[in-house]
Amino acid sequence: AFLRTGRLDVQIFVGLPDKNARKQILGFCFKNVKYPIQEGLIDFVAEYTENYSGADLKGLAAKVKQMAFARKLKFYSEELFKECLAQTHPSPNAHILQQIKEWEQKQFQ
């Protein structure tokens, strides 16, 4: 129904964030946190979150913050992020990723 004529006539593709964009999104998610983040941790997490959408990264950040709060941690560690990464997965599945790749190839030929 959303794609019927007169409703949303223009479709805009927003691809998955690249490593640099993931770093920026994660940096924003942890911009005003109470406790510090280990040096280089945002780069580490950006490296291991390929195919994560911005919403996936926001969800990961929320999980990390909740676990840190529940455990009364005074900083965000690599171990905490690894544990949360093991419990989360990118939302785009292989079929969606293939569709994105095909769309990009059509648009940017």
Side-chain angles (χ1 to χ4, degrees):
F2 282 116
L3 299 178
R4 286 189 205 145
T5 303
R7 300 209 175 141
L8 297 174
D9 292 334
V10 177
Q11 295 180 21
I12 300 172
F13 173 75
V14 178
L16 295 172
D18 61 12
K19 182 180 176 185
N20 188 46
R22 292 191 305 271
K23 284 171 48 176
Q24 291 179 7
I25 292 166
L26 289 164
F28 181 77
C29 289
F30 288 94
K31 184 177 181 180
N32 295 316
V33 292
K34 185 175 180 180
Y35 301 115
I37 299 173
Q38 284 181 342
E39 182 97 15
L41 191 52
I42 296 294
D43 290 330
F44 167 80
V45 176
E47 183 72 36
Y48 289 95
T49 52
E50 186 173 355
N51 295 329
Y52 277 61
S53 68
D56 296 335
L57 294 169
K58 185 177 176 187
L60 173 64
K63 185 174 213 54
V64 168
K65 291 174 188 178
Q66 289 169 349
M67 287 181 79
F69 179 78
R71 295 177 183 179
K72 298 180 174 136
L73 301 177
K74 300 293 181 190
F75 64 95
Y76 299 100
S77 68
E78 184 175 324
E79 291 77 27
L80 180 63
F81 271 90
K82 284 180 178 179
E83 186 176 345
C84 291
L85 279 167
Q87 297 175 19
T88 62
H89 304 286
S91 56
N93 61 30
H95 178 71
I96 292 172
L97 293 172
Q98 182 60 36
Q99 286 180 321
I100 290 169
K101 187 176 183 178
E102 289 171 5
W103 189 90
E104 286 176 330
Q105 288 173 348
K106 276 191 214 174
Q107 298 301 313
F108 302 112
Q109 287 183 7

